[in-house]
Amino acid sequence: MLKGWLLALLLTAAGTLSAAGLLADGNTVAAAVVLVACLAFAAVNSPLVFPASVGAEEARRRSAADGRPVIYWRPGCHYCRRLRFRLGRDARRAHWVDIWRDPAAAAAVRAVADGNETVPTVVLPDGRARVNPDAEWVRELL
């Protein structure tokens, strides 16, 4: 979890420093625009936009019980973010697992993706998996 927040913190710090430099030059409008843009980008790349992440073992248990897929992701991943936004409200119905928080999750993804930690990876309750799936396919599962 720290890596996702670290990315957001670095983006926020960069935006703040850039805005401070513009503000020191007397360019208040540009400073405000840069600060707002960096804060928005940091928020979108933080773990905040994803449903609460559970551990890999807990996600597999829940998936077996309710039949919903497990989606492995990591903060800062463009493809994960795209899948999350394309699913909209339906995304909360899946079980999301952050592979940076759970080594077992990273191992599960490597087992499916030929040794790579390629995300998003969706695993169904029956064990079938798909790497970087189409959002419509995932939506049908939900």
Side-chain angles (χ1 to χ4, degrees), residues 71-81 83 97-100 105-106 109-110 113 116-122 130-133:
I71 302 175
Y72 294 96
W73 70 284
R74 66 174 168 74
C77 169
H78 168 74
Y79 300 104
C80 298
R81 190 173 53 243
L83 176 64
V97 181
D98 180 353
I99 67 168
W100 280 357
V109 170
R110 285 192 301 271
N116 299 311
E117 290 182 0
T118 307
V119 288
T121 296
V122 177
R130 191 173 290 184
V131 176
N132 200 11

Side-chain angles (χ1 to χ4, degrees), residues 86-130:
R86 289 190 65 206
L87 289 175
R89 287 182 156 181
D90 291 337
R92 298 209 180 274
R93 297 179 63 205
H95 305 290
W96 292 77
V97 181
D98 180 353
I99 67 168
W100 280 357
R101 284 182 64 187
D102 187 350
V109 170
R110 285 192 301 271
V112 170
D114 298 324
N116 299 311
E117 290 182 0
T118 307
V119 288
T121 296
V122 177
V123 178
L124 304 178
D126 64 7
R128 290 181 295 143
R130 191 173 290 184

Side-chain angles (χ1 to χ4, degrees), residues 26-97:
N27 201 342
T28 55
V29 174
V33 169
V34 166
L35 185 59
V36 168
C38 284
L39 288 174
F41 190 74
V44 167
N45 284 290
S46 77
L48 288 175
V49 298
F50 289 90
S53 186
V54 296
E57 204 53 48
E58 176 67 13
R60 280 193 288 269
R61 188 190 63 72
R62 289 181 185 182
S63 178
D66 63 18
R68 295 179 183 170
V70 175
I71 302 175
Y72 294 96
W73 70 284
R74 66 174 168 74
C77 169
H78 168 74
Y79 300 104
C80 298
R81 190 173 53 243
R82 183 180 67 188
L83 176 64
R84 167 62 186 97
F85 288 139
R86 289 190 65 206
L87 289 175
R89 287 182 156 181
D90 291 337
R92 298 209 180 274
R93 297 179 63 205
H95 305 290
W96 292 77
V97 181

